[in-house]
Amino acid sequence: MKKFVFFIIIFLCIYSSQLTTYAEESEQLNLKSEGVALLDSDTGAVLYAKNANEKMYPASLTKIATAIYAIDKGNLDSIVTVSENAVRQEGTRVYLIEGEQVPLKKLIQGMLINSGNDAAVAIAEHLDGTVEQFAENLNIFLKTKIGVSNTHFTNPNGLFNENHYTTAMDMALMTNYAIKNPVFAEIFGTKVLDWKGQSWESTLLTHHRMLKGELPYPGITGGKTGYTSETKQTLATTADNGKIRLTAIVLKSEQKNDKYNDTSLLLDYGFHAYQHETIKQSELFTTDKKEFYPENDTLITENVTGVIKKVNNQGLLSIENQNGRVVQSIQLKYKEPAKSKVVPEKKTPSKEPTPSMFQINTVVAMVIVVFAAVLMGVRKKLIKKY
């Protein structure tokens, strides 16, 4: 069982390099929206959550997913031929006409900035042939590429369907993923765009009142609005105060102003309560005599009042705030213990016993005696001869 859990952790680590977990907030903000998620845009740390995993309807926030899927998969310079089906879409449009040919990037702009439902369908049909096939492919993309777990989309624009749902957390993950793409980030943050279509010329203004400046808030970098009568008000917002970047999602607000007020409260909280810190690659974390370390210098999000760092037996480091809530989790690497070097025993070559000095002297004496005897014998023979 322990091995199974370990392999699950490793899989999640490979997929996402950083795992994020959260609990319901002990710091209660006075929020009216039913579903809320506030993430650090860079680390993915979950800073605030309210009913974040409950299924809700996103309305036009769906277009965030459609846009990043189109940017990832499509050729932005490709020409899209608008179908009759796209033209017949209800709600907000950019007033395309059947047979009109529009570059893919321009349709993404019209879809995100002016929330064009007709542009969204034209994009879907261009990429995958039909809206049905697009929805199937989009759902696969969101699960495998981004890692959502409670999302199912049936169309590219967010028009109400009981089987078209997501959660605040999944929507935050989608937005976080998307804003890392420079093309998406540029369009997501566009306030004004001149639009020249075959039947409609206009100046498009973002519908997001904080981004537009109608409800001033410093550091807003992008946003998307959503509404249907069944879905209620929805809002996605990104912001940067120069020290930390935030992604805020609010779902199911009754009144339009509620979603903006809630977003302001979330951003205020995130900017004042959290900051960045770096865990160095050389830093070691120990548990049960095991040592773990980050594979690289790793950016973390910590509460300004301090954090608690805990590592488990599998090397999963939890960054907790002072209330014990896990803000961020990071998979560390196991440090192999230094192997002790085994010095092989030196085999002493066997030696013949060394003769003692007495033995040597005895042998030498015998040799001398023998040699002397031989000389004496030779001398006697020589005397007799002569």
Side-chain angles (χ1 to χ4, degrees):
M1 183 62 183
K2 288 183 178 179
K3 288 185 177 179
F4 175 76
V5 172
F6 177 76
F7 284 123
I8 289 296
I9 292 172
I10 293 299
F11 170 77
L12 291 172
C13 183
I14 292 172
Y15 168 71
S16 171
S17 80
Q18 287 192 344
L19 303 173
T20 55
T21 58
Y22 72 97
E24 291 302 313
E25 292 298 320
S26 55
E27 309 95 335
Q28 291 295 329
L29 300 179
N30 185 23
L31 304 176
K32 295 182 179 179
S33 304
E34 291 194 21
V36 167
L38 177 69
L39 271 58
D40 182 317
S41 305
D42 295 302
T43 68
V46 180
L47 310 185
Y48 196 94
K50 173 186 174 184
N51 300 325
N53 280 329
E54 288 192 19
K55 291 181 180 179
M56 297 183 187
Y57 303 113
S60 284
L61 300 196
T62 302
K63 290 162 183 163
I64 292 172
T66 298
I68 191 56
Y69 173 70
I71 292 168
D72 268 22
K73 179 176 179 177
N75 176 354
L76 295 176
D77 296 323
S78 61
I79 302 300
V80 178
T81 301
V82 178
S83 71
E84 179 188 0
N85 182 42
V87 172
R88 286 190 289 105
Q89 295 302 302
E90 301 174 352
T92 311
R93 292 171 288 163
V94 288
Y95 300 100
L96 301 171
I97 64 172
E98 185 178 356
E100 184 174 357
Q101 294 190 318
V102 188
L104 178 59
K105 182 177 179 180
K106 184 176 179 179
L107 287 176
I108 296 171
Q109 291 171 316
M111 176 183 68
L112 278 182
I113 300 167
N114 201 59
S115 206
N117 291 330
D118 49 356
V121 170
I123 291 168
E125 292 177 337
H126 173 72
L127 293 174
D128 293 313
T130 65
V131 166
E132 292 73 21
Q133 187 60 55
F134 168 85
E136 183 177 332
N137 293 346
L138 177 63
N139 287 323
I140 293 171
F141 170 84
L142 295 176
K143 288 177 182 176
T144 58
K145 194 87 172 183
I146 300 178
V148 304
S149 55
N150 294 295
T151 294
H152 182 267
F153 289 156
T154 60
N155 61 62
N157 48 32
L159 290 177
F160 181 75
N161 183 305
E162 286 189 356
N163 291 317
H164 187 98
Y165 57 81
T166 188
T167 67
M169 183 57 62
D170 277 2
M171 204 67 243
L173 292 175
M174 291 180 228
T175 307
N176 247 12
Y177 176 88
I179 60 174
K180 290 177 174 59
N181 182 289
V183 175
F184 179 92
E186 173 204 342
I187 301 172
F188 197 58
T190 299
K191 301 176 184 180
V192 180
L193 179 73
D194 289 334
W195 181 272
K196 291 185 179 180
Q198 198 167 321
S199 70
W200 191 51
E201 291 189 15
S202 182
T203 299
L204 304 185
L205 299 175
T206 178
H207 297 181
H208 195 297
R209 298 180 66 192
M210 295 171 78
L211 178 61
K212 195 188 316 186
E214 289 180 358
L215 297 173
Y217 191 99
I220 300 296
T221 57
K224 182 75 191 76
T225 62
Y227 172 79
T228 71
S229 57
E230 301 91 347
T231 300
K232 306 303 180 185
Q233 299 285 343
T234 63
L235 192 69
T237 310
T238 56
D240 182 355
N241 71 349
K243 296 179 181 179
I244 189 171
R245 300 193 304 159
L246 301 177
T247 299
I249 302 294
V250 296
L251 301 179
K252 203 173 182 181
S253 304
E254 287 293 333
Q255 303 297 324
K256 183 180 290 187
N257 283 342
D258 289 345
K259 65 184 179 184
Y260 290 108
N261 292 336
D262 286 355
T263 297
S264 293
L265 286 172
L266 286 167
L267 295 178
D268 285 346
Y269 169 73
F271 285 140
H272 287 101
Y274 289 92
Q275 62 190 7
H276 279 160
E277 187 55 71
T278 300
I279 298 177
K280 298 294 184 182
Q281 185 181 22
S282 57
E283 190 169 349
L284 293 177
F285 298 87
T286 305
T287 181
D288 293 337
K289 297 182 181 180
K290 291 182 180 179
E291 289 186 326
F292 299 92
Y293 65 95
E295 190 170 5
N296 302 293
D297 288 354
T298 303
L299 191 69
I300 65 168
T301 310
E302 62 177 27
N303 195 287
V304 294
T305 60
V307 295
I308 302 167
K309 299 172 185 175
K310 295 180 181 178
V311 63
N312 66 14
N313 271 330
Q314 285 73 45
L316 189 66
L317 177 67
S318 297
I319 311 297
E320 300 179 2
N321 64 16
Q322 293 297 318
N323 297 312
R325 184 178 69 81
V326 177
V327 174
Q328 185 179 0
S329 299
I330 301 165
Q331 183 62 49
L332 304 178
K333 294 198 71 174
Y334 175 59
K335 183 181 180 183
E336 295 284 348
K339 294 181 180 179
S340 56
K341 294 182 180 180
V342 179
V343 180
E345 293 183 5
K346 292 183 179 180
K347 294 182 179 180
T348 305
S350 57
K351 295 181 180 179
E352 295 294 331
T354 304
S356 66
M357 186 58 68
F358 174 78
Q359 290 173 324
I360 294 173
N361 290 341
T362 302
V363 172
V364 172
M366 289 177 63
V367 172
I368 291 172
V369 170
V370 172
F371 182 70
V374 171
L375 287 178
M376 290 293 292
V378 173
R379 182 173 179 276
K380 288 179 181 180
K381 286 182 180 181
L382 288 173
I383 292 174
K384 286 180 181 180
K385 186 176 179 180
Y386 296 102

